[in-house]
Every structure is written in C-alpha cells, then in structure tokens.
C-alpha cells in the first residue's frame, strides 16, 4: 500500500497513531487500494460510482492509512449535521440532510482541518471557482472528487473536475470506488490534451458496470 505514495511529489504527513489504526480498519473491513499515484504534484482523483456516505468513509481511512494529506468536496451538511442512517431519496434537499446539533462548529472545524471543501448541492454555481481559490496557492495537493456529485444519480458525470484540473494545471486520475471487489482502484492518468467531452467519455467507459455500495454505474448509451 505504501508504494502508492511518492513523498517527494505528494502531500505527505506521517501519522504514527492514525496510520496504523487506519490500516487495521481497512484489513478488518477487507478493503484494499490498488494501482499507484503518478509522480505529479497536483492531482484530481476523478472517482466513481458515488452511491453512499461509505464512499467518503473509506476515502478518509485510506488517506490516513497512506499518510497522505488530501482535499475533498463535501455537501455542506457534512460540515454541520449528523448524517442519518436512512437512505437518501429522490427530491430530498441534500444540503439539509441529517440532524443539526449544538456542536456543529466543532464538526465544521474538524472537517475543514481534514481538507474538506463545502459544496451547496442546491446552489451549484460558483463551486469550481471556490475550489480553485482554495487550492491555487498550494504547491502540492490531491483533490478527491466523486464525479457524479449526487449519489441519487446514475451515470451522470459532472464536468467540474475537468475545469478544476485545467485551472490548477492538475493531472486527472480516474479512481474506481469498487464495492464489488472491495477496493479503490487507481488507474492511469487521463491525457491533458483531451477535450471535456472526450475526458467525460473516458470516465463513463472506465466506470461502466462498476458496482458501488448501492448501485452499479451504467454509462449512457452502453448496454449493461
């Protein structure tokens, strides 16, 4: 697992307690990480399919296990609310999902410290610029983006990842959230010369038939 990381290129932080603990949790849950990160200082992990809060849970644990510092997008409710065990449903306002509690400001502080960037799903405008402003002065970063954005959709890839990578001169690296094989699978980077539609098509083909926790990704126009 440690072979994934290049300390000279990636934002690295040795974790003497959380690192071993996270590796134990991954083994306990039979979850693995395959592939390798490119030797690039700036990486956008374009991940899919996105179907559950468990996607983020395993990402947190994986970054601790790899001793990495990362950034990630999270619905604003993640910063201020306690998520409910019930499933998300069509028509639900995901920004208000969960229970507001009196210590929300502590939760927001912790998530921000972990690298979280809040996103208002009901007010998507300006998200790309918000991300760029947060990361533009960093010499090294790994940004985790679930390219479907909303766990209630299937096969509908948003192109924000592409424009963020273009603005920040970052490498786009596809990553499968593969619950069928219980692993994250890091794949070869996409060429920076691809157009936005070509890049999107590549990801659709990459994620087609990958089994998430609550759904299997079905690319538009492709048979199951």
């Amino acid at each position: 697992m440690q072979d994934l990381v290049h300390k000279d290129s990636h934002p690295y932080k040795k974790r003497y307690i959380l690192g071993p603990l996270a590796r134990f949790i991954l083994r306990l849950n039979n979850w693995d990480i395959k592939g390798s990160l490119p030797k690039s200082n700036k990486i956008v992990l374009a991940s899919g399919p996105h179907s559950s809060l468990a996607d983020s849970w395993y990402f947190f644990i994986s970054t601790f296990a790899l001793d990495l510092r990362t950034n990630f997008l999270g619905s604003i409710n993640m910063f201020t609310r306690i998520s409910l065990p019930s499933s998300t449903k069509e028509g639900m306002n995901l920004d208000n999902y969960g229970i507001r509690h009196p210590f929300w400001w502590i939760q927001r502080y912790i998530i921000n410290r972990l690298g979280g960037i809040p996103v208002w799903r009901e007010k998507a405008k300006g998200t790309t610029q918000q991300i760029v402003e947060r990361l533009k002065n960093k010499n090294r970063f790994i940004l985790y983006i679930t390219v479907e954005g909303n766990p209630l959709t299937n096969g509908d890839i948003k192109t924000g990842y592409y424009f963020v990578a273009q603005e920040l001169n970052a490498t786009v690296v596809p990553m499968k959230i593969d619950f069928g094989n219980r692993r994250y699978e890091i794949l070869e980077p996409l060429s920076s010369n691809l157009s936005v539609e070509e890049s999107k098509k590549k990801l659709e083909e990459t994620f087609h038939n990958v089994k998430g926790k609550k759904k299997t990704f079905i690319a538009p126009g492709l048979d199951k």
Side-chain angles (χ1 to χ4, degrees):
M1 183 182 293
Q2 293 296 332
D3 293 339
L4 291 170
V5 179
H6 305 286
K7 296 180 184 178
D8 57 335
S9 300
H10 303 144
Y12 183 81
K13 175 180 173 60
K14 184 64 177 176
R15 295 182 172 96
Y16 294 97
I17 297 176
L18 286 179
L21 178 61
R23 290 187 283 275
F24 172 75
I25 291 172
L26 290 181
R27 289 195 298 271
L28 191 65
N29 286 274
N30 193 30
W31 188 269
D32 203 358
I33 309 166
K34 296 292 186 181
S36 62
L37 292 167
K39 289 185 177 181
S40 173
N41 290 358
K42 301 178 179 182
I43 294 172
V44 172
L45 284 176
S47 307
H50 178 37
S51 62
S52 168
L53 290 174
D55 302 342
S56 299
W57 160 253
Y58 280 117
F59 176 71
F60 279 134
I61 300 302
S62 296
T63 57
F64 291 156
L66 293 169
D67 292 321
L68 287 172
R69 285 185 178 273
T70 58
N71 292 95
F72 58 93
L73 305 186
S75 175
I76 188 63
N77 73 293
M78 179 188 294
F79 291 75
T80 59
R81 293 174 178 267
I82 299 172
S83 296
L84 299 170
S86 59
S87 300
T88 53
K89 299 177 181 179
E90 291 288 347
M92 176 183 292
N93 184 335
L94 293 175
D95 293 342
N96 295 324
Y97 179 65
I99 301 172
R100 188 71 176 262
H101 59 88
F103 302 107
W104 61 269
W105 56 276
I106 298 177
Q107 181 175 328
R108 184 178 64 181
Y109 173 79
I110 292 172
I111 299 296
N112 273 310
R113 288 282 294 173
L114 290 173
I117 301 174
V119 173
W120 284 260
R121 297 186 188 275
E122 304 299 321
K123 302 176 183 178
K125 290 183 179 180
T127 299
T128 298
Q129 195 55 41
Q130 180 184 354
I131 299 167
V132 170
E133 287 298 316
R134 176 77 174 263
L135 299 178
K136 68 180 182 181
N137 294 322
K138 288 182 176 286
N139 294 322
R140 299 190 296 179
F141 66 78
I142 296 174
L143 174 65
Y144 169 81
I145 294 180
T146 51
V147 293
E148 288 176 284
N150 189 331
L152 300 177
T153 63
N154 193 330
D156 182 18
I157 289 180
K158 312 299 183 186
T159 56
Y161 77 92
Y162 179 89
F163 296 107
V164 167
Q166 291 284 312
E167 287 280 342
L168 295 171
N169 194 28
T171 303
V172 176
V173 179
M175 186 174 76
K176 295 178 182 178
I177 306 173
D178 186 355
F179 274 83
N181 294 298
R182 298 197 64 76
R183 69 189 184 194
Y184 281 123
E185 185 176 350
I186 302 170
L187 306 174
E188 289 296 314
L190 298 185
S191 170
S192 59
N193 295 323
L194 295 177
S195 69
V196 61
E197 288 302 322
E198 289 170 336
S199 177
K200 180 178 177 180
K201 185 68 174 176
K202 286 279 189 183
L203 291 183
E204 288 174 348
E205 293 170 352
T206 296
F207 298 143
H208 183 59
N209 274 340
V210 175
K211 184 179 179 181
K213 184 173 177 62
K214 296 182 180 178
K215 70 184 181 189
T216 298
F217 187 99
I218 304 299
L222 296 180
D223 294 329
K224 186 173 182 179

